[in-house]
Amino acid sequence: MDPHIGEILNGGVVIPASPLALDENRRFDEPSQQALWRYYSDAGAGGIAVGVHTTQFAIRDPKIGLFRPLLELAREVFDQLDLTRFQPLIRIAGICGRTEQALAEATLARQLGFHAGLLSLAAMRDATLSELVNHCREVAAVIPLFGFYLQPAVGGLVLPYAFWRQLAEVENLVAIKIAPFNRYQTLDVVRAMADAGRDDVALYTGNDDNIVIDLLTVYRFPRNGATVERRIVGGLLGHWAVWTKKAVDILRDCHAIVSSGKPVPGDMLTLAAQVTDMNAALFDVAHNFRGCIAGVQEVLRRQGLLRSNLCLDPAERLSPGQAEELDRVVSAYPHLVDDDFVAEHRQRWLR
């Protein structure tokens, strides 16, 4: 990885997991897609992830055929955005499938200038621990590896401490998205990196149910007679694909609090609960995350950035009561919504 990109990544930034822009007929809406990425950049995001769960894995279906076109469009738009930024966007490409497919996707992403590949292991459900690690090692030989602990509710695997400790031996591992939505499993990842001495691996929260607490926590573990500290420094999140300007503010405040060494203010704990409540509506927790992608797209539709909240699969839609839940949290926590910012700049982004 380019040292400058690695420095930005390790410093901790907001990385939205990009949705896919579709029009009212479920056709790819390129102008809205470009506007969405311009929004993320202007909101202060440090990177964008494309081809990930929030983008919809169905883009890889040969009948849909959007994986390559989307990554190619991203390269074009990100190149333009980098000309306007103080520092370049970190470009993350989602990588899926068994080894042959994953290597092909990693090769394409690398050719198109993506800095790292976020590797989903969902297709490796029947693999042994050593097979999983070897799979990761092969992909890491093609593109810097962004490890990924995806929660089982949306297709992920339970990955024990032993997996993460072995993954730490993969030299080209540059970051990990920790998204099991589980505190015990989150600790497994952080402890494994601490035990391995991999302080060069950037830890990012994907725990949309625990964002603020993840970012405020300093983890301490004994190692070789000393105490090792590790932090989760940023987030790669579907939740941060909406209200992104506020996400940037939250991450900045969390960094400042941790750097100060002072106790965490009580109002940050209240904020943490409010963000989690917002996520419950956004991700459709009441229906086991069935409407999570549609929920993200509904917020962006209401803001005028997307034309629809439709998904490629007609079965993926808002759940009963989810729209009302979004109404509730937006009304309850106006300080966590960036509607005014979007309204001010939307026409420029949609040019």
Side-chain angles (χ1 to χ4, degrees):
M1 177 173 280
D2 180 303
H4 182 45
I5 297 298
E7 182 180 353
I8 298 169
L9 185 66
N10 279 281
V13 293
V14 166
I15 304 179
S18 176
L20 178 70
L22 299 177
D23 66 16
E24 300 88 342
N25 298 305
R26 287 195 169 84
R27 293 179 302 211
F28 180 49
D29 182 0
E30 186 173 316
S32 294
Q33 191 71 64
Q34 295 186 54
L36 192 60
W37 293 335
R38 293 176 186 129
Y39 157 54
Y40 294 148
S41 180
D42 283 4
I48 301 175
V50 181
V52 294
H53 173 253
T54 313
T55 322
Q56 303 178 51
F57 292 138
I59 60 174
R60 295 164 171 83
D61 186 329
K63 295 179 181 178
I64 294 170
L66 279 175
F67 183 69
R68 176 186 283 270
L70 195 63
L71 266 59
E72 290 175 340
L73 179 65
R75 176 180 62 177
E76 177 185 334
V77 175
F78 295 172
D79 283 349
Q80 295 169 356
L81 290 172
D82 279 354
L83 297 175
T84 69
R85 293 174 54 87
F86 172 71
Q87 58 187 24
L89 281 166
I90 300 174
R91 308 178 186 196
I92 309 296
I95 297 172
C96 298
R98 301 189 71 85
T99 304
E100 182 179 358
Q101 176 184 340
L103 290 175
E105 292 188 5
T107 300
L108 175 64
R110 190 64 174 171
Q111 290 171 346
L112 293 176
F114 282 79
H115 300 122
L118 182 70
L119 181 60
S120 169
L121 299 176
M124 305 290 290
R125 191 166 302 280
D126 58 347
T128 65
L129 196 65
S130 61
E131 287 171 342
L132 288 173
V133 175
N134 287 335
H135 173 75
C136 295
R137 185 175 286 109
E138 289 193 52
V139 173
V142 176
I143 192 169
L145 182 65
F146 210 122
F148 187 13
Y149 201 159
L150 176 66
Q151 63 156 323
V154 290
L157 309 178
V158 174
L159 299 165
Y161 167 89
F163 168 80
W164 298 104
R165 183 61 184 81
Q166 291 179 45
L167 188 68
E169 303 303 321
V170 175
E171 184 177 355
N172 208 24
L173 175 69
V174 297
I176 300 172
K177 171 178 174 172
I178 308 172
F181 285 44
N182 181 295
R183 306 290 75 76
Y184 303 114
Q185 293 163 355
T186 294
L187 274 166
D188 283 341
V189 182
V190 183
R191 182 166 63 91
M193 294 304 115
D195 288 349
R198 289 299 304 267
D199 56 3
D200 60 327
V201 175
L203 301 180
Y204 274 63
T205 182
N207 289 320
D208 302 76
D209 66 333
N210 200 55
I211 297 169
V212 177
I213 299 301
D214 274 359
L215 294 170
L216 289 172
T217 301
V218 178
Y219 296 87
R220 294 191 178 97
F221 305 97
R223 181 173 182 266
N224 298 332
T227 299
V228 176
E229 289 191 352
R230 290 305 311 266
R231 281 189 54 215
I232 294 173
V233 296
L236 197 170
L237 295 152
H239 186 113
W240 282 359
V242 299
W243 308 311
T244 309
K245 185 73 167 62
K246 297 300 181 178
V248 171
D249 294 342
I250 289 171
L251 180 61
R252 181 198 61 227
D253 291 346
C254 289
H255 281 179
I257 291 166
V258 173
S259 296
S260 75
K262 297 178 181 179
V264 174
D267 59 359
M268 290 300 290
L269 303 181
T270 299
L271 178 71
Q274 293 173 343
V275 171
T276 298
D277 193 17
M278 293 192 83
N279 183 258
L282 186 69
F283 272 24
D284 191 29
V285 174
H287 299 92
N288 201 29
F289 304 97
R290 191 177 307 146
C292 60
I293 296 175
V296 169
Q297 296 182 165
E298 171 64 10
V299 171
L300 296 169
R301 185 198 66 78
R302 293 180 182 190
Q303 290 184 321
L305 286 167
L306 295 185
R307 295 189 194 183
S308 80
N309 64 20
L310 297 177
C311 297
L312 292 168
D313 181 354
E316 289 192 53
R317 58 172 70 94
L318 290 178
S319 292
Q322 189 178 0
E324 291 77 13
E325 274 295 283
L326 286 170
D327 292 339
R328 177 185 67 81
V329 296
V330 166
S331 175
Y333 312 120
H335 54 291
L336 296 177
V337 173
D338 64 357
D339 290 359
D340 291 344
F341 173 73
V342 173
E344 180 181 355
H345 300 284
R346 182 177 56 240
Q347 290 308 312
R348 177 168 56 84
W349 297 330
L350 286 165
R351 67 182 183 275

